[in-house]
Amino acid sequence: MIDRRSFLLRSVAVAALAAGPACHAAEAGVRRIGMRGLTSAIEIVDDVYGVPHIRAQSIPDAFFGQGYVVARDRLFQIDFGHRRELGRMAEAFGAEFVAHDAQARLFHYRGDLDAELARVPADVLACGRAYIAGINARIDEVTADPTLLPLEYRILGVAPIRWDIRDMVLARGAASGNTDDEVRRAQLAALGLLELDAVIAPLMPAHPLSVPDGLDVSKVSDDDLGVLRLGRLPFGPNTPVTDPDERSGRLERANAGSNAWTVAPSRTATGRPILANDPHLGIGGFGPRHVAHLMAPGLDVIGGGAPGLAGIMQGHTDHFAFGRTNFHIDQEDLFVLELHPSDPERYRHAGRWERFTRVEIDIPVKDAAPHTEVLRYAVQGPVVSHDPARRRATAIASIAMQPGGGGSFAMIAINLARDWTGLQEAFKIHPSPTNFHYADTAGNTGWQVIGFMPVRKRGEGLMPVPGDGRYDWTGMRDHRALPHEYNPAKGWFASANQDNLPPDWPADRIPAFDFRDPYRYQRVADVLSHQNHHTLADSVALQHDTLSTPARQLVALLPAAASEAARPAVTMLRGWDCRLDAASGAAALFEILWRELGHRMLGLIVPERAKAIVTSIGPSVLLGLLAHPDARLGADPAAARDAMFDAALVAAWRSAQAQLGTDPAQWRWGTLHTLRIQHPLARIPAIAAAFPPIEVGPTGGDSYTVQARWLGNGPGWSAGGGASYLQVIDVGAWDNSLMLNLPGQSNDPRSLHYQDQVATWSVGQLQPMLYSRAAVAAHAVARLTLSPEGSRP
């Protein structure tokens, strides 16, 4: 267990630690010897933006270099996430973390790890091994010279753990997918109010909801989610903190997405394709991307990668540019199992009583004996809840837990591809749902949905289902069963997590029903369809576009005859351009009004017995009821709507005055909508002292603008996520390309690249994505040579 008092005492030493040398400057010009895993020397050139350009003599050595530099810049981030996924928290931090370790280990792959590795093409696997060797080389280096350790290790009193290639196919992650949505729908069905599910999130594409045959909805509860409800990591007494590796919270799932568009040469000013991409992820903790440039004979790729995952996720090679947004495939189902009346280790399946596969594990615990835990697996997958008293258990079927479902090597395969045809092979080992964007130097553009889709005996995955065998999965489909387009006639395409299934898409191959509202896509489409000579500057401007379609629709619905108290709000909003700029006072009023309307509309349409379940309202539902009030609002729907709307306007105006002052001319959306970046463990005093928060300042946008800056948790207005990595690629004229990576390349506050991209991010100014040798040489600030173990300097 971490002792709070010891953290307080350690904070005295933090000031001395923070005075250490800037990481890159300290290593400039140093020749390294003894790098295990290298086959020949590699050179790493850091440019002025902190991007490492890795020059190797073989492709695996280039990936070794990527592993090394990401560990140099982000060691604690990747080590912490790795430790969490392996279920090795308690051995470092104490008994309070045992439950989290057990959850992580429950979702370890229980099949043949060697067979999983054998699925990976040999050249791809060699690069994965080299990447891990690069991480371990840096760990060896900082272990030998503790002055190079990131500050967290000395504060927390822990050491980094070495990586192993088998870990890449072992840890699959405990993401719950949409299983909590499944439970919610069953709970509403039990109340006879299943239609209220559409209030929260209407199914996209539209689809009727029905209770699966054999499911007793009256018995479904949040308890059926079992260990998936465990929550965040317990650092400090009663102070759970932001989890650096949390991947599936409700907030992030509701908002996460991305924008990407690809414009063909026929519609650009230069006659070359342009590919733009800005992935939307949580902002406020560790940066989700690390930029690197990997070069070797047969490889030349640059862009943003996920720290701890080999390869580049968004960027370009010397042949093509690529980007991605989230597609939607329902890849998890919750199965309800009936336990045997006298033997809770057996469950009914296919007319027989099957026995759970039981795995007994020992979890190491700091300063205590190992903790023994029993993990159970049913035919469908890991058992997340086991309740003998109720003769009930639940299990999760997950693509990630299937053979080949890990996906740790997918980015490498994509980076090694040479063209559109080669990518089709790479996509075969890419299980996660993605809209993949492509543009090459020959002028071709392409969009391919990739990911693995389960084949179900029955049902669509929208509710929990009986685990008796009738709803089991029978296989998987890959990207070849999903939509694609190559050189579209209109000259552009875009994805922003909207329902982009073709209109005639077969009903039996609909992968999910939880696509996002189309507001961002509609705005992108409107802009691109009117630009015949699209430029890089146009793409940058569009990435920072704050025009709000919901705001436009709401302003059009403002009452013509408002009360005297509501009139000031109506007047301000009617004179507004509907842009959610940080400097806009009307934008602040709109956001306050939007929240007021949502709360009040829920109060009108949701019965008391469902209020704990239906806690939010979708934007299209809210706007639809304002425009066309129906019987859900009472006997006189129009009158109820008018009274509610007027009361919300009055309340919003008063709330704005209370929060922003009595002078509306001084109101600013950015006063409320701010962004602060802090260490995920900042509730630990010594960590907070060593890593002062980065105040990014006021920002515009919200969940539904192309410049996506959605609201964080809680009642406040601070930004919780959006685009921290952005790229705009001039395909073929690579040195013209632009990028940005908030807050910087390094997680070490002693580094020059800890927060050097905050100022440019704040004003929407991208920086050059340096690529050619000449461009890199002109902006190089540090050079480092890594040599194989035993070689001479």
Side-chain angles (χ1 to χ4, degrees), residues 96-109:
E96 287 183 325
F97 293 81
V98 163
H100 294 269
D101 284 351
Q103 181 204 56
R105 295 179 185 222
L106 178 65
F107 286 86
H108 285 182
Y109 185 67

Side-chain angles (χ1 to χ4, degrees), residues 183-196 211 217-220 606-614:
V183 167
R184 180 191 71 235
R185 294 184 188 114
Q187 290 173 322
L188 288 172
L191 296 175
L193 297 171
L194 186 53
E195 71 279 0
L196 285 181
V211 175
V217 293
S218 69
K219 295 182 179 179
V220 176
V606 178
E608 193 64 36
R609 66 185 189 277
K611 288 189 184 300
I613 301 173
V614 183

